[in-house]
Amino acid sequence: MTAIDVKDLKVERSGKAVLHGIRFSVQVGEVFALLGGNGAGKSTTLLTLLGFLPVAAGSVSLNGISPSANVKKIRDQVAYLPEAATLYPHLNAYENLGYFLSLSKLKLSKAELDATLEKVDLQTDARSQKMETYSKGMRQKVSIALALLRDTPILLLDEPTSGLDPVAIDEFNRLVRSLAAEGRTILMVTHDVYGACQVADRIGLLRGGELVGLFGSNEGQKIDTQTVHKAFTERTGAKRAVS
Ligand SMILES: Nc1ncnc2c1ncn2[C@@H]1O[C@H](COP(=O)(O)OP(=O)(O)O)[C@@H](O)[C@H]1O
Ligand SMILES: [Mg+2]
């Protein structure tokens, strides 16, 4: 069953074409990574799926719903982790979650918050400390918890592992796999080839607003990192690191 369907999508920003007719779909329970360098159009794709940017041509739908026409209905389908999630440093994890959930008219018990903070593996003693004392990885866990607490079938994650250390990335990958196993659909965008290959069932390579490659199948075999890396660097013309 298709959860996310993007058909020949064109999007313009400030009168300039940014997405030039991209096409992909994500199945229910699948982890799909949209991989691309800076400015490829990754965040633009997510913002369009959320209904924050208009579709210039083509179409997008989430569980059969078109976001631009059904802003309210879409909110029940998707949770979104923005590229720079902003939580309040002077509040603790419970206070941040409580505040941001209240904006979505949700009121959850401490036990419910704890169950999700457990799931994202945030240490118990940290939860009632001000978030200004947190590492980037801990902050990211709270942001992911916030997305999960909205309990939507689809998750859109913008660069969820950027700035995390390898241990935190491993933990994140395990969490994403367990969410997919529960039947959630995950579309994440990233510039990290290795991370994408670790966690995704399929990868779409985005360059200059065009989808230039598709890797993996939905049959459980791992995606070959070297193949994707080669395509990413060749096709994006990325400079080799000089060390
Ligand atoms: N607010 C904006 N107004 C106009 N153009 C934008 C805006 N944000 C991004 N763009 C342009 O859209 C293109 C894609 O950006 P974006 O989707 O943010 O890429 P990515 O997330 O892959 O780094 C870039 O060329 C960028 O300059
Ligand atoms: Mg971006």
Side-chain angles (χ1 to χ4, degrees):
M1 221 168 55
T2 303
I4 302 174
D5 204 15
V6 175
K7 281 200 186 109
D8 306 323
L9 172 65
K10 291 189 181 169
V11 175
E12 293 173 357
R13 299 186 81 164
S14 310
K16 186 180 130 235
V18 169
L19 296 177
H20 305 280
I22 62 168
R23 172 183 277 263
F24 67 94
S25 59
V26 186
Q27 304 304 301
V28 171
E30 188 180 26
V31 180
F32 190 97
L34 206 52
L35 175 71
N38 294 330
K42 304 182 298 295
S43 297
T44 299
T45 305
L46 297 188
L47 293 172
T48 308
L49 285 166
L50 288 158
F52 295 156
L53 291 174
V55 170
S59 66
V60 296
S61 72
L62 296 110
N63 287 339
I65 302 165
S66 158
S68 51
N70 300 282
V71 179
K72 278 220 174 93
K73 274 197 197 162
I74 274 300
R75 295 287 167 268
D76 301 331
Q77 297 298 319
V78 239
Y80 165 56
L81 180 71
E83 195 165 359
T86 41
L87 296 160
Y88 289 108
H90 59 285
L91 300 181
N92 69 33
Y94 296 117
E95 292 163 343
N96 266 295
L97 292 174
Y99 172 71
F100 284 100
L101 289 167
S102 75
L103 297 181
S104 317
K105 308 253 181 300
L106 282 173
K107 193 166 168 33
L108 299 176
S109 68
K110 182 166 179 290
E112 287 168 307
L113 300 185
D114 271 320
T116 299
L117 289 170
E118 203 64 45
K119 197 170 195 171
V120 300
D121 209 14
L122 184 74
Q123 305 92 291
T124 318
D125 55 351
R127 296 175 195 172
S128 46
Q129 286 166 20
K130 288 185 183 186
M131 285 187 60
E132 64 196 7
T133 64
Y134 283 25
S135 67
K136 163 98 189 171
M138 290 161 74
R139 283 200 297 274
Q140 192 67 336
K141 285 176 179 181
V142 179
S143 299
I144 294 167
L146 180 57
L148 293 179
L149 282 160
R150 297 213 23 249
D151 201 21
T152 57
I154 299 175
L155 292 166
L156 304 181
L157 312 175
D158 197 340
E159 309 269 4
T161 57
S162 108
L164 299 188
D165 67 37
V167 174
I169 292 177
D170 273 355
E171 284 181 3
F172 169 82
N173 287 346
R174 270 200 299 278
L175 174 66
V176 166
R177 290 309 326 172
S178 75
L179 295 169
E182 287 173 8
R184 301 232 211 185
T185 305
I186 294 141
L187 171 60
M188 59 180 270
V189 308
T190 181
H191 58 256
D192 173 21
V193 177
Y194 179 76
C197 291
Q198 286 302 300
V199 75
D201 296 303
R202 287 188 302 141
I203 294 175
L205 184 58
L206 194 63
R207 183 202 46 170
E210 290 178 53
L211 204 64
V212 295
L214 205 52
F215 304 89
S217 67
N218 204 0
E219 284 145 28
Q221 77 251 40
K222 259 215 151 50
I223 301 172
D224 180 54
T225 309
Q226 283 199 355
T227 308
V228 179
H229 185 263
K230 190 155 177 280
F232 184 70
T233 50
E234 270 177 2
R235 290 176 182 170
T236 58
K239 291 197 186 77
R240 202 161 288 170
V242 186
S243 58

